[in-house]
Amino acid sequence: MLCPVCASLLSEEVCAGERIDRCGKCGGMWVDQGELATIVQNDDAPVAVAANAKRPAQLACPRCERPLAPHEYAHDSGVVLQRCPDCRGHWIEASQIAPLAAYVASNPAIDKLAATIEHQFASDRRQRLLYALLTSKLLSGAVAAGLAIAVVLDSKDINRILSVAIYVTLPLACIWFSEEMGRRTRGTFGLARPRVTHPTPGIVVAVAGWLLLLLPVLLWILLQ
């Protein structure tokens, strides 16, 4: 990875049992998600070196190249780091290492808060990953294609093949367009069933789509 400040190659170091990537030219370091709290409260935190590079107006994540956004450590430290909105890693400049260490040393209670914040970030990341899988067009499309291929191999009946193609349309729509379908509030499920009057969370719509998509597989397993 390259330093977002001076474009030098970052070298890997070990600090407090965590691997960090540090720039030998400007002294900044990249800390992955979940490692920040451990490093800043450790007595062996890296010592800052003299910064000799002009800082660009906008820094980019050295891992995924997304623009970094300002993020104040622990919300009241006065130390504004640069955080990637995607991978949640932090860029710490050389001049910020000493203020971070001083803040943590003078605020013992902040250790727990920092760990809690990092844990929340990790939890949010897992939730985003789960949502991405549930709404994946590639994954659901592959499952639908697998169903179609299974029907073609099992039967040459064109009507049966068309029935499967029509059947998978609804679950795929629920998975691919879960948010849009969840916002629909005027639909009904039959004369004797209630009208949809409130938006449905997109993840609920996606889960329902997967249940419908996998229903033929489950029925086939049960009937064997």
Side-chain angles (χ1 to χ4, degrees):
M1 297 190 298
L2 299 181
C3 173
V5 174
C6 62
S8 299
L9 187 65
L10 299 178
S11 58
E12 188 175 274
E13 299 179 8
V14 177
C15 175
E18 305 285 0
R19 294 187 180 276
I20 64 172
D21 297 282
R22 193 175 186 196
C23 178
K25 182 178 180 181
C26 71
M29 63 180 181
W30 176 256
V31 181
D32 287 325
Q33 177 185 357
E35 301 173 349
L36 180 59
T38 304
I39 291 173
V40 298
Q41 65 182 323
N42 189 268
D43 294 336
D44 297 326
V47 178
V49 299
N52 55 6
K54 183 178 179 180
R55 186 183 186 279
Q58 176 64 62
L59 302 183
C61 174
R63 189 169 298 281
C64 59
E65 300 184 354
R66 289 282 303 277
L68 299 179
H71 170 69
E72 184 176 7
Y73 178 74
H75 303 289
D76 67 345
S77 65
V79 182
V80 180
L81 309 177
Q82 297 292 317
R83 184 177 68 185
C84 177
D86 189 13
C87 69
R88 297 287 179 172
H90 289 80
W91 175 256
I92 306 175
E93 297 185 9
S95 59
Q96 295 175 320
I97 297 175
L100 274 177
Y103 177 77
V104 172
S106 60
N107 294 269
I110 208 63
D111 295 344
K112 184 176 180 180
L113 175 61
T116 301
I117 293 173
E118 292 294 342
H119 176 74
Q120 183 62 44
F121 288 156
S123 177
D124 292 344
R125 179 66 174 175
R126 289 193 294 269
Q127 291 177 9
R128 288 196 299 272
L129 177 60
L130 176 61
Y131 184 79
L133 289 175
L134 287 175
T135 57
S136 171
K137 294 182 180 180
L138 180 62
L139 183 59
S140 57
V143 173
L147 289 175
I149 293 173
V151 172
V152 170
L153 295 177
D154 182 65
S155 172
K156 302 299 183 180
D157 187 355
I158 187 64
N159 291 327
R160 186 178 177 187
I161 296 174
L162 288 176
S163 297
V164 172
I166 295 173
Y167 174 80
V168 300
T169 301
L170 177 59
L172 287 180
C174 291
I175 295 171
W176 292 4
F177 309 105
S178 57
E179 294 295 336
E180 292 82 352
M181 296 189 68
R183 287 194 291 267
R184 299 179 62 88
T185 57
R186 296 183 180 180
T188 58
F189 295 96
L191 296 176
R193 295 176 175 82
R195 180 182 296 271
V196 178
T197 58
H198 294 84
T200 304
I203 192 169
V204 175
V205 177
V207 169
W210 276 105
L211 291 176
L212 286 174
L213 186 61
L214 296 176
L215 182 60
V217 179
L218 297 177
L219 291 176
W220 181 81
I221 294 175
L222 292 175
L223 294 176
Q224 293 304 306

